[in-house]
Amino acid sequence: MANMPVSEMRLPPHLAYLLAARRLDTAKDVLSLPEVELMAVLDAGVPTARAAVAHVSEAACPPCQTALALLEERVRLGGGGRLATTLCGLDEALGGGIPMGKLTEVVGPSGIGKTQFCLKLALLAALPEYYGGLDGRVVYIDTESKFSSRRMIEIGQKNFPQIFRQEGLAQKMAGRILVMRPASLADFTKSLEQMKVTLLQHDVKLLIVDSMAALMSLGNEKATAGFRQHPLRWTLSFLKSIAEFSRIPVVVTNQVRSQSNDDGYHFSFEVDRKDGNNCAERFDSHLIAALGIQWAHAVTVRLVFESHSGHRFIKVAKSPMSPAVAFPFAVESSGITLLSDEGIDVTGPEITSIRCQGQNILSR
Amino acid sequence: MSYTGSAPASSSLYWKGMESSGDPHPPILAGAQNAWDMLSDEQSQKHITTGSGDLNNILGGGIHCKEVTEIGGVPGVGKTQLGIQLAINVQIPVEYGGLGGKAVYIDTEGSFMVERVYQIAEGCISDILEHFPHSHDVRIVIIDSVTFHFRQDFDDLALRTRVLSGLSLKLMKIAKAFNLAVVLLNQVTTKFTEGSFQLTLALGDSWSHSCTNRLILYWNGNDRYAYLDKSPSLPVASAPYAVTGKGVRDAVSSNHKRVRVT
């Protein structure tokens, strides 16, 4: 929308000519200037500048729809706009499964099962529709070389023996999963840009980035938090727009890191009241998700994988659809399975904390 | 959601000054309104209920029309939930004490989920036991969130500040001209103040002046609280609230347990 060229907007001729002459070629060029600056650039008065903004906004504005129309479209498309994970309790909590068109984050300490979860999702998206799949291709971006075809086929064989026993079907399913191993952030960025065009053409139904945090540190050994922000912001924006534009689920995994003094926990009006409790709360859970609070805001659904009390849990920590709830799970030869479909309600600070027992997580 | 615009009220203020306060003299300044008339206007203004009585109380009845209210908080505290609740509540018919208006919801982050909207609408209906008649004008504009795009694409922070201030002026103008409420949802960031890093709303210090009212949603132990941080007429105050299956409601211990969507 922002990059819509002015030349395509069918503006009144004098405006189109004026904008082109001043090299304001896209909607963004025109609309990101405050009125006074626009007047200066166009060398025109207030009415002209306002007319330019009004016409350009009208042309570039995305169409609005009623919520009812959106709901009806969702019903018409079927599948409820979700990718079912086959983990019943989790699917129910998420309103059917991983949402399409949104960014879902899977975060947790290393070795807990994030990649196993992603492998299962990749498989599910490739399956034919009558097995609950999306019957499409999957793009799996593997930044830490964790993707194992053998493991994925094993998961497939254990969960859907009837499909995988058929001749050539295993090959077909595996053939739909495209694995990419970018060597650097620049590689990744280039592939993403390519992808935007090819996603729809090639029937890609799921995009997985495993892991996002590793991507940010590819080639940036000496990155400070400030610098790391910049490539992250662009990638974040781009991933969300890909998801929205192609209506596919985008799943991204994230790592954890230790809390540091730089993390703020309270607003200024709270600090006065809770001086005594600050320290206690901080050390209770010393792990937080990497990539920062901006990332945490941007993801639509956050699934926290954590371990405590001798079990591993998948916790729905952020979701516009559901309250915070946790499910105990285990990793078996058939992949991730829930030990119970009855979720445990989670409230308060437990929602955002990430607990990891019995492992020493060093800060990244 | 299309809307019909009503004519800007500024031209009628000239005449209003003469009629309502009973002052026979012509107004001193065209377009100005005296404080007494403003008071009567304010008192006749309806507020948009948030769904939680405690929250409405600290807001002086609810979200005010003709004003821009900023609502910020950490991820997952319920900003979008409150935004959707307001979009539904503005439609409550006049007979039930509502505004009977339409809502425009501008979603910049993709957090608007229709199934949840449906759930909240049903919750609202079941609590007031009526269907929604056709609404007339747009009475609330919600932007969820105003922060997202400004955080991603602007490298030139000075330009960002200028664009933001232009935006806030326009929104305030719309709020007054069309007599509607503007609600902006904001994210948080950390800031180094008073010797430690603290949470604060995003978009910087100059933005923080732009809104008429500011409400900060935060976690206090296991409960969600709202803190009225800025208001021209109300004292700072906190109130608890809850997000239930039916939407935003008062924080009651166990009665309104949130139901998951099936």
Side-chain angles (χ1 to χ4, degrees):
Chain A
M1 300 292 163
N3 292 328
M4 186 183 202
V6 168
S7 47
E8 288 179 16
M9 280 183 206
R10 283 180 282 162
L11 298 173
H14 67 279
L15 268 183
Y17 179 72
L18 183 57
L19 292 175
R22 305 293 170 171
R23 294 180 189 274
L24 294 175
D25 297 319
T26 66
K28 186 175 178 179
D29 292 337
V30 176
L31 296 175
S32 52
L33 290 175
E35 193 171 85
V36 176
E37 287 181 39
L38 185 61
M39 282 165 53
V41 169
L42 292 179
D43 197 18
V46 171
T48 316
R50 286 194 181 162
V53 168
H55 279 102
V56 170
S57 317
E58 197 175 333
C61 179
C64 72
Q65 292 173 285
T66 62
L68 182 61
L70 284 175
L71 197 56
E72 287 169 348
E73 187 195 334
R74 184 64 53 80
V75 168
R76 191 175 45 87
L77 284 177
R82 301 278 195 273
L83 166 61
T85 64
T86 71
L87 304 171
C88 297
L90 183 63
D91 282 342
E92 196 188 316
L94 291 176
I98 308 281
M100 293 191 193
K102 318 278 181 203
L103 197 56
T104 301
E105 180 195 21
V106 172
V107 61
S110 63
I112 202 157
K114 304 187 293 293
T115 303
Q116 300 297 310
F117 186 69
C118 292
L119 288 177
K120 190 164 194 185
L121 285 182
L123 198 61
L124 287 172
L127 287 178
E129 275 181 28
Y130 45 86
Y131 285 105
L134 298 178
D135 205 18
R137 291 207 170 82
V138 176
V139 173
Y140 194 113
I141 299 180
D142 179 23
T143 57
E144 294 176 319
S145 300
K146 285 205 211 130
F147 183 86
S148 159
S149 315
R150 189 184 312 162
R151 175 62 178 139
M152 194 184 64
I153 305 234
E154 183 189 5
I155 294 178
Q157 282 168 340
K158 291 282 161 62
N159 280 301
F160 304 99
Q162 61 279 40
I163 308 183
F164 280 78
R165 245 182 267 138
Q166 289 180 42
E167 265 312 309
L169 211 51
Q171 186 184 0
K172 186 175 171 203
M173 292 295 113
R176 284 179 172 174
I177 300 178
L178 309 163
V179 180
M180 205 181 299
R181 295 205 162 122
S184 68
L185 190 57
D187 265 355
F188 174 66
T189 310
K190 235 185 311 177
S191 328
L192 268 194
E193 279 172 335
Q194 254 183 351
M195 228 183 277
K196 198 162 189 183
V197 177
T198 57
L199 269 183
L200 288 177
Q201 288 173 356
H202 295 279
D203 221 17
V204 174
K205 294 285 172 74
L206 172 64
L207 172 60
I208 298 180
V209 181
D210 178 16
S211 75
M212 193 67 187
L215 204 57
M216 289 300 124
S217 57
L218 276 180
N220 294 342
E221 286 91 9
K222 293 189 219 162
T224 60
F227 177 66
R228 217 184 287 150
Q229 285 265 328
H230 192 260
L232 174 63
R233 275 171 19 209
W234 181 86
T235 315
L236 176 52
S237 211
F238 203 75
L239 282 175
K240 287 192 89 153
S241 67
I242 287 184
E244 180 70 39
F245 177 68
S246 48
R247 304 304 304 168
I248 61 170
V250 175
V251 176
V252 173
T253 65
N254 191 7
Q255 297 169 355
V256 296
R257 62 174 176 83
S258 301
Q259 291 177 350
S260 73
N261 287 324
D262 291 358
D263 300 313
Y265 303 101
H266 298 293
F267 291 96
S268 53
F269 58 83
E270 291 181 272
V271 171
D272 306 323
R273 286 191 253 163
K274 298 175 72 155
D275 265 313
N277 293 338
N278 276 352
C279 300
E281 271 176 34
R282 273 188 50 195
F283 289 105
D284 215 6
S285 154
H286 62 284
L287 297 176
I288 60 172
L291 299 179
I293 202 162
Q294 199 177 331
W295 172 262
H297 272 296
V299 297
T300 310
V301 173
R302 172 174 266 191
L303 299 176
V304 172
F305 282 42
E306 58 176 1
S307 72
H308 62 91
S309 328
H311 286 294
R312 300 188 187 188
F313 293 87
I314 299 182
K315 181 168 65 181
V316 179
K318 181 186 180 191
S319 162
M321 279 311 301
S322 29
V325 68
F327 301 92
F329 76 94
V331 182
E332 296 167 359
S333 58
S334 56
I336 300 231
T337 50
L338 290 187
L339 297 177
S340 158
D341 284 326
E342 286 297 313
I344 303 163
D345 289 321
V346 182
T347 50
E350 275 180 38
I351 298 181
T352 45
S353 66
I354 303 178
R355 290 190 274 178
C356 184
Q357 260 182 342
Q359 289 185 42
N360 220 352
I361 308 289
L362 302 173
S363 45
R364 284 191 340 108
Chain B
M1 297 172 205
S2 61
Y3 65 92
T4 55
S6 44
S10 52
S11 51
S12 57
L13 287 174
Y14 185 88
W15 301 110
K16 219 166 186 245
M18 275 176 41
E19 286 166 17
S20 39
S21 60
D23 183 349
H25 301 123
I28 302 166
L29 281 178
Q33 194 184 21
N34 68 54
W36 181 258
D37 293 334
M38 282 181 74
L39 181 62
S40 350
D41 270 351
E42 266 170 49
Q43 283 174 339
S44 60
Q45 279 289 353
K46 289 219 195 89
H47 304 118
I48 304 172
T49 169
T50 58
S52 154
D54 294 332
L55 203 46
N56 287 342
N57 285 341
I58 63 168
L59 289 171
I63 301 287
H64 301 250
C65 289
K66 289 198 179 174
E67 290 181 8
V68 177
T69 305
E70 180 186 16
I71 302 180
V74 293
V77 76
K79 304 184 290 295
T80 302
Q81 302 298 311
L82 189 52
I84 296 177
Q85 185 71 61
L86 290 171
I88 300 278
N89 287 353
V90 74
Q91 301 177 49
I92 294 175
V94 175
E95 304 87 69
Y96 286 83
L99 276 74
K102 289 189 168 128
V104 173
Y105 197 102
I106 301 175
D107 179 19
T108 65
E109 296 182 340
S111 30
F112 187 81
M113 291 188 131
V114 270
E115 299 94 339
R116 180 60 178 152
V117 175
Y118 189 76
Q119 239 191 343
I120 293 185
E122 280 193 325
C124 187
I125 291 177
S126 73
D127 283 354
I128 65 170
L129 303 171
E130 182 56 69
H131 69 281
F132 289 100
H134 181 70
S135 350
H136 302 286
D137 297 325
V138 171
R139 299 306 300 276
I140 190 169
V141 173
I142 300 155
I143 304 187
D144 176 12
S145 64
V146 71
T147 329
F148 182 68
H149 292 301
F150 283 102
R151 263 175 143 175
Q152 315 298 329
D153 292 330
F154 275 86
D155 292 324
D156 180 355
L157 287 183
L159 176 62
R160 187 180 89 164
T161 308
R162 294 198 296 278
V163 174
L164 276 174
S165 59
L167 177 70
S168 78
L169 282 176
K170 273 200 195 119
L171 289 172
M172 213 149 352
K173 216 163 85 169
I174 294 177
K176 294 217 172 350
F178 294 96
N179 192 13
L180 47 83
V182 174
V183 173
L184 307 178
L185 303 186
N186 196 359
Q187 298 175 354
V188 298
T189 182
T190 50
K191 184 165 95 159
F192 191 77
T193 49
E194 297 165 18
S196 65
F197 281 90
Q198 289 176 358
L199 292 177
T200 183
L201 294 196
L203 297 178
D205 291 323
S206 30
W207 169 257
S208 64
H209 293 293
S210 308
C211 300
T212 319
N213 304 293
R214 183 157 51 243
L215 193 66
I216 300 182
L217 307 180
Y218 66 104
W219 285 101
N220 187 358
N222 281 357
D223 302 313
R224 292 180 158 94
Y225 269 73
Y227 177 76
L228 183 67
D229 185 51
K230 180 183 179 190
S231 161
S233 54
L234 296 160
V236 296
S238 280
Y241 69 98
V243 181
T244 69
K246 292 181 174 185
V248 175
R249 295 289 187 269
D250 278 320
V252 179
S253 47
S254 57
N255 294 353
H256 300 287
K257 195 132 187 65
R258 188 162 167 176
V259 173
R260 284 175 248 151
V261 180
T262 39

